[in-house]
Amino acid sequence: MLNQELNQFPKNPSRLFYIGLAIVMLSFWLPFIPNWLTFIHVWRVELFASVFLLIVLAAAFFKTKQSVFWSAISKDERNFIIFPVIALVIWSAASAIWAPSWRSAIHHALVWSIYLIFYFIVRHLIESGKNYRKLLLVFALTLVLYGIPAILDYCAFLFFGGGSSIGIRFARFGEQVNALSPLVMVGILRLKGKRYVLGVSALAVIWLLVFCSLSRINIFLFVCGAVAVTACVFFIKRFHKYRRRMLVTVAVLILAPLPLHVFTLLSDDANIPMLRRVSNSAGISDSNNFRKLMATLSIEMFKAHPVIGVGADNFGMQANNYRAVYGEQNPGDINLAAAESEIPERSHNEYLQIIAELGVIGGLIFLWFLLGIGLMFLRAIRNRVSLIPLAAITGIGLFLVSSLVSSYSFRLVQNGFVFFFVLAVASKYLLKPEESSGERVAISGLQLRLACALGILVCSMLAAYSVLRVSSVYYAERANRVQDIDEAFPLYDTALRLDGENPNVHFYLGNRLFDKGRFTESASHLERSIEMGQASSTTFSYLATAYLMTGNTAAAEETFARAVKLYPQSAF
């Protein structure tokens, strides 16, 4: 067991850590931060997370005084959790050698590196029961704060009608909710009086966050998690003492959506959005067709590079190249009608994306990681454990199932933090070393400081990458607001020098030049935008028209031919 309150952290490590963690988790909630979109990578969460961990590691580096402490991480935990993640980081970084975008490959390695750093820190903190409860509270309260605007938006939609982007904005939190909700539910069962009431109310808001997102899979998985915890309470004798509170909790969850629909009494449209969504066969079919297309493109990438893959985090930039190959060979595939006006940045299936990007080797590394989770699952079933590890392994399972159809999964750092927190909880109980096994490892203060220094380097690199990407978007947005296009050129040029892989800069500039009748220049930038991944049917249309206006009919015809390969089901 780790020495209590080691000096590698400030005197009270929790305050620094919890405040920083809350800010990271609420980075989407902070309204004063512009919603600048960087191509494929989500800069806001990554910047907040890397700076947060950098500060924590710097504090650990300068506060480390004790010469030796004992690691609580067992041999099984090292072999099935730590080593696979390290191997995935190394392989992702190595893929920069052959990846079309080496920056994206390094980005993927950095993201998984900060997951490992976060895991180590949390794994230390949860050795204290109070820190576990505080960490769980931070995660739960941040989801409550996301749930409140989701509920308000849902009610406004019911009352006023019209279009809504609720699903787009809030579905990203589904995996966090489903990974955490079993632990939150178990934690509530241990509360009494006012604390129990507050806990149940918070859980209800978290449940409504998922309900109001209208995400079918996330709602289904939340229900599965609630059923799993309920089954443990009612069918395992040692948990029977929680049955009454479990019944009340389940009743609250069942009744929670009903008050929202009082608003339908004041609306001309009395239909419940979720019922419409479930019964919308056309919408379900479109969603399924899109996912089938992304699966097809993932398989095409894997077939082209089965051993090493196309490179970590390169799926979005390479998707249309493989869509063109598949579209030319299978023009009658109805699934090719999907994703014509948008860029498919992710595969919507974490496992397929991993093997597409990292090949068989990457897939086997991730399978190694999953075997460790499978080992914990077997121990949770066989051993007489408490509700906490049962809830933790349930949450992990729900997250991994969601990753089969999710666009986010580990690609959103908030999701990764929640997953690795729940994983740390499960590891503490299900991979713990035996007291007499002698598995504990002594770590010197020098070794700890070297590890902190390496972590600081990793966090600094990810923070710098995020700053460069968002700075490029900032200059592009400034350029878009400058009316004189010649005066805007230096700003666009700065944006491209900061991030040479930002296709939106070329797209914006190409469209503006098109509007000004400068078609030759416009075609050059639109062509570059397509090459970099911004290859929607709209971009092809502008490009072909620009060539026509310059009299270059051969180039226009070739542009339409390329577009037809990508979008054979289109009006092209």
Side-chain angles (χ1 to χ4, degrees), residues 513-533:
L513 290 166
F514 184 96
D515 291 340
K516 296 294 183 181
R518 297 164 65 169
F519 299 113
T520 301
E521 296 171 90
S522 172
S524 174
H525 287 285
L526 292 174
E527 186 74 62
R528 185 67 180 127
S529 176
I530 288 173
E531 291 173 2
M532 296 171 66

Side-chain angles (χ1 to χ4, degrees), residues 285-295 297 315-316 319-320 323-324 333-348 533-540 563 565-570 572:
S285 177
D286 289 342
S287 178
N288 290 339
N289 290 343
F290 173 76
R291 285 185 167 83
K292 290 176 183 177
L293 174 62
M294 292 302 100
L297 299 185
F315 178 90
N320 277 330
R323 177 174 180 146
D333 188 345
I334 191 64
N335 297 330
L336 287 165
E340 177 182 332
S341 61
E342 59 208 21
I343 305 302
E345 298 179 352
R346 291 169 288 273
S347 175
H348 288 70
Q534 178 65 279
S536 66
S537 58
T538 303
T539 311
F540 276 107
K565 291 179 182 178
L566 277 168
Y567 309 113
Q569 298 290 322
S570 170
F572 280 111

Side-chain angles (χ1 to χ4, degrees), residues 523 527 530 539-564 572:
E527 186 74 62
I530 288 173
T539 311
F540 276 107
S541 179
Y542 274 109
L543 177 60
T545 305
Y547 280 132
L548 285 172
M549 297 303 290
T550 62
N552 192 346
T553 55
E557 183 176 348
E558 192 272 337
T559 299
F560 277 119
R562 287 160 57 197
V564 168
F572 280 111

Side-chain angles (χ1 to χ4, degrees), residues 97-111:
I97 298 171
W98 61 83
S101 170
W102 66 268
R103 295 182 184 182
S104 291
I106 297 299
H107 167 268
H108 190 264
L110 292 174
V111 168

Side-chain angles (χ1 to χ4, degrees), residues 376-385 390 430:
M376 287 190 284
F377 178 79
L378 290 176
R379 290 184 179 179
I381 294 175
R382 293 176 178 176
N383 300 341
R384 184 182 174 89
V385 296
L390 290 173
L430 301 172

Side-chain angles (χ1 to χ4, degrees), residues 157-410:
F157 174 60
L158 290 176
F159 184 75
F160 296 108
S164 174
S165 60
I166 296 175
I168 296 173
R169 287 183 290 122
F170 294 107
R172 72 181 71 180
F173 302 108
E175 282 156 310
Q176 298 175 40
V177 170
N178 289 324
L180 279 173
S181 57
L183 283 174
V184 174
M185 194 174 295
V186 166
I188 289 170
L189 295 179
R190 300 184 175 196
L191 301 177
K192 296 180 181 179
K194 292 182 180 180
R195 289 187 175 184
Y196 173 74
V197 174
L198 289 173
V200 171
S201 301
L203 181 62
V205 174
I206 292 172
W207 154 233
L208 290 177
L209 170 60
V210 172
F211 181 86
C212 293
S213 73
L214 306 179
S215 171
R216 294 181 293 264
I217 183 63
N218 286 325
I219 290 174
F220 172 74
L221 290 177
F222 184 96
V223 173
C224 288
V227 169
V229 175
T230 303
C232 289
V233 170
F234 278 87
F235 295 110
I236 300 177
K237 187 175 181 180
R238 62 183 181 278
F239 304 137
H240 283 180
K241 59 183 177 181
Y242 300 120
R243 285 182 295 183
R244 181 176 297 179
R245 266 173 269 174
M246 189 76 249
L247 281 175
V248 174
T249 302
V250 170
V252 169
L253 293 177
I254 292 173
L255 297 174
L258 298 182
L260 303 182
H261 297 91
V262 171
F263 287 87
T264 60
L265 301 176
L266 306 174
S267 173
D268 295 332
D269 184 2
N271 289 325
I272 298 175
M274 176 47 64
L275 296 181
R276 283 207 307 268
R277 181 163 171 77
V278 172
S279 61
N280 182 4
S281 57
I284 293 174
S285 177
D286 289 342
S287 178
N288 290 339
N289 290 343
F290 173 76
R291 285 185 167 83
K292 290 176 183 177
L293 174 62
M294 292 302 100
T296 299
L297 299 185
S298 301
I299 294 170
E300 287 294 317
M301 290 184 193
F302 175 73
K303 286 163 59 178
H305 306 278
V307 178
I308 60 176
V310 299
D313 249 4
N314 273 247
F315 178 90
M317 293 182 177
Q318 294 299 306
N320 277 330
N321 293 336
Y322 292 89
R323 177 174 180 146
V325 174
Y326 181 79
E328 186 175 16
Q329 297 173 350
N330 304 274
D333 188 345
I334 191 64
N335 297 330
L336 287 165
E340 177 182 332
S341 61
E342 59 208 21
I343 305 302
E345 298 179 352
R346 291 169 288 273
S347 175
H348 288 70
N349 183 313
E350 183 68 24
Y351 311 101
L352 286 178
Q353 186 161 345
I354 286 173
I355 64 169
E357 293 179 345
L358 297 173
V360 169
I361 295 176
L364 290 174
I365 291 172
F366 198 73
L367 179 61
W368 179 15
F369 179 67
L370 294 179
L371 287 175
I373 295 173
L375 175 63
M376 287 190 284
F377 178 79
L378 290 176
R379 290 184 179 179
I381 294 175
R382 293 176 178 176
N383 300 341
R384 184 182 174 89
V385 296
S386 68
L387 270 175
I388 291 178
L390 290 173
I393 201 66
T394 299
I396 291 171
L398 296 177
F399 185 99
L400 294 175
V401 171
S402 179
S403 296
L404 287 166
V405 295
S406 170
S407 172
Y408 300 105
S409 187
F410 294 104

